[in-house]
Amino acid sequence: MKRHKHALWGIVLLCVAITLGACRPDKKKQQGSATAIPDTTLDIRYASGFWLEAKEGYRLLHIKDPQKTNAAEYTFALRERGTRPILPKGVTVIDLPIQRFICMTSLQLSSFIRLGATEKVVGISSTRFLANEAMNRQLKEGTTRKIGIEGNFDPEIILSLSPEVILISPFKQGGYDAMKEVGIPLLPHLGYKETTPLGQAEWIKLTGLLIGEAEKAIGIFKQIEKKYNQLKSLTAHVTERPVVLSGEIHGGSWYAVGGKSFLAEIFKDAGADYVFKDDPRSGGIYLDFETVYNQADKPQYWRILNNYPGMYTYEVLKAQDARYADFRAFREKGVIYCNMREKAYYENMPMEPDLLLADFIKVFHPELLPDYEPVYYHLLKE
């Protein structure tokens, strides 16, 4: 847990103490947290990819792509196990609380990890770079099993695990049609499509509701929210906002994200301006290299996230494309880097936007967090 200890820096230590005092659920609420459909509201404030509609004896769960206003909507009826309310026809029914899930991505695992509920994940699609100790132990013991990779899932293994719900990413070519045949509810998990850091983290409330730990999830999110907003307030009055670039060349095109994206939002909150902040798109964008190259003298910083087998350096970056050396961020040693081979980025980051924000503040305005040690991103030194 050394990584988390490093995250306890001076100014935020006080904030954490305040947060814990304000957000710790009282004992009465904790005793009721095992109720599948609690009386309390989830109070969704940031996430736009899911919402709940209270009905007589059940709830309707609505899920849709938060990046598209005209996206398809998925609806599920959530009822407490053992009850038989009158439900609408044609809607998939899910009995709560759920004890056995299959997860398709590390992003989906993040809320189970934060809730301390990895034992409820009985199947996963990929273990490449899986770092979580509990999940690796479960795989070793056989309480969690690999179900295959996208497009080549093993129906026999899936059925043998007796999952109650399979969490999917419906916009991937994942071979989900074959899964539908086994008759297990496929529930889209679209937290990764949220356009704000707190919106993504708020999906922990849905996981909490599904496993009968809604109150615990609400309490955890309140801590995340308060710490994030306290950090955000540090940059509210900065006078100099550096410009930052993101992305790399993939298949001849530069892949980045639009100006209304998760990343653009976190750059803004960290006191910087994303070079493509005026782009109206919220998802990924492909640009020709010349478009990026023509603006490469503006950004003082360049954010890179990848999987590199070894030490990533400026020489490695230059060897990938000699034109990178012309970028201002390259010349001035302003590359901000995270190696997913070394950091459990997707396993933990969705539920730790406060640490991600602190990493970027440390780069853009180091005087605001003088004693903080970065968790995910750091400036390349060599």
Side-chain angles (χ1 to χ4, degrees):
M1 301 306 292
K2 183 178 179 182
R3 181 175 62 85
H4 286 286
K5 288 181 181 179
H6 287 168
L8 300 177
W9 59 95
I11 187 166
V12 177
L13 194 59
L14 177 60
C15 297
V16 171
I18 295 171
T19 301
L20 291 175
C23 300
R24 186 182 295 113
D26 60 40
K27 291 183 179 179
K28 290 182 180 179
K29 287 185 177 180
Q30 287 178 328
Q31 290 170 356
S33 65
T35 302
I37 304 180
D39 292 335
T40 184
T41 174
L42 291 184
D43 187 26
I44 308 303
R45 300 180 57 195
Y46 302 92
S48 56
F50 79 95
W51 65 98
L52 292 153
E53 188 179 350
K55 298 292 183 178
E56 188 67 33
Y58 69 97
R59 288 183 177 181
L60 285 178
L61 167 64
H62 303 276
I63 298 175
K64 68 181 297 185
D65 184 349
Q67 295 181 7
K68 297 179 180 178
T69 56
N70 60 344
E73 185 177 311
Y74 306 85
T75 305
F76 301 85
L78 308 180
R79 68 183 178 189
E80 189 169 354
R81 194 175 302 278
T83 65
R84 293 293 181 267
I86 299 173
L87 301 173
K89 293 181 180 180
V91 176
T92 301
V93 180
I94 297 178
D95 289 317
L96 305 184
I98 300 168
Q99 300 297 331
R100 303 176 68 80
F101 288 83
I102 287 178
C103 290
M104 291 294 159
T105 68
S106 296
L107 285 166
Q108 295 165 358
L109 280 178
S110 62
S111 56
F112 290 94
I113 291 170
R114 189 64 185 266
L115 284 163
T118 58
E119 77 282 355
K120 298 186 186 300
V121 181
V122 298
I124 54 177
S125 65
S126 175
T127 58
R128 191 183 185 200
F129 308 131
L130 182 67
N132 183 261
E133 291 182 7
M135 286 302 305
N136 278 307
R137 183 175 63 253
Q138 289 169 211
L139 285 163
K140 185 176 181 180
E141 295 172 350
T143 54
T144 298
R145 295 184 64 188
K146 293 184 284 185
I147 64 165
I149 59 175
E150 286 188 26
N152 192 26
F153 298 122
D154 191 322
E156 290 186 10
I157 292 179
I158 292 171
L159 285 172
S160 72
L161 296 174
S162 300
E164 298 164 66
V165 166
I166 299 175
L167 299 179
I168 65 169
S169 299
F171 308 114
K172 293 187 176 183
Q173 298 300 317
Y176 299 129
D177 288 340
M179 284 189 168
K180 292 177 183 177
E181 297 176 5
V182 302
I184 299 165
L186 306 181
L187 195 153
H189 191 290
L190 307 183
Y192 72 101
K193 301 280 282 185
E194 294 288 343
T195 59
T196 66
L198 289 177
Q200 180 166 283
E202 199 164 26
W203 279 72
I204 194 173
K205 294 181 180 180
L206 177 57
T207 302
L209 177 66
L210 295 176
I211 69 173
E213 293 285 358
E215 291 285 3
K216 182 177 182 180
I218 290 169
I220 290 172
F221 180 75
K222 283 182 179 178
Q223 295 176 32
I224 295 170
E225 177 188 29
K226 187 163 278 191
K227 286 188 284 185
Y228 187 94
N229 285 331
Q230 286 166 341
L231 284 163
K232 178 181 174 180
S233 70
L234 297 179
T235 67
H237 302 293
V238 295
T239 54
E240 295 185 11
R241 299 180 64 88
V243 178
V244 57
L245 172 69
S246 179
E248 295 176 88
I249 297 175
H250 292 286
S253 297
W254 188 278
Y255 178 76
V257 290
K260 303 300 179 184
S261 64
F262 169 101
L263 196 60
E265 181 80 8
I266 208 163
F267 286 153
K268 181 180 72 173
D269 292 345
D273 288 331
Y274 182 39
V275 69
F276 303 124
K277 67 178 182 179
D278 295 327
D279 185 285
R281 290 167 286 187
S282 56
I285 57 175
Y286 286 94
L287 304 167
D288 62 84
F289 182 80
E290 291 304 318
T291 299
V292 177
Y293 190 80
N294 289 338
Q295 300 187 60
D297 221 35
K298 297 178 184 177
Q300 297 100 310
Y301 296 102
W302 176 10
R303 172 261 191 185
I304 297 176
L305 172 72
N306 63 24
N307 291 299
Y308 185 75
M311 180 174 290
Y312 201 73
T313 65
Y314 284 93
E315 285 304 310
V316 170
L317 187 57
K318 183 178 179 180
Q320 292 174 339
D321 194 304
R323 295 172 295 180
Y324 286 164
D326 295 332
F327 287 26
R328 177 182 177 183
F330 185 102
R331 300 195 312 268
E332 298 180 2
K333 298 293 189 292
V335 172
I336 312 166
Y337 181 63
C338 175
N339 191 338
M340 292 185 291
R341 286 178 181 259
E342 301 172 355
K343 309 288 185 179
Y345 186 81
Y346 286 120
E347 289 173 41
N348 297 317
M349 179 278 297
M351 298 301 125
E352 295 180 338
D354 50 314
L355 299 185
L356 194 62
L357 177 60
D359 284 0
F360 287 127
I361 291 176
K362 179 67 175 180
V363 171
F364 302 141
H365 304 284
E367 72 283 358
L368 297 178
L369 294 174
D371 301 318
Y372 173 71
E373 275 192 57
V375 174
Y376 295 107
Y377 285 95
H378 66 278
L379 278 172
L380 277 185
K381 296 178 181 179
E382 299 180 11

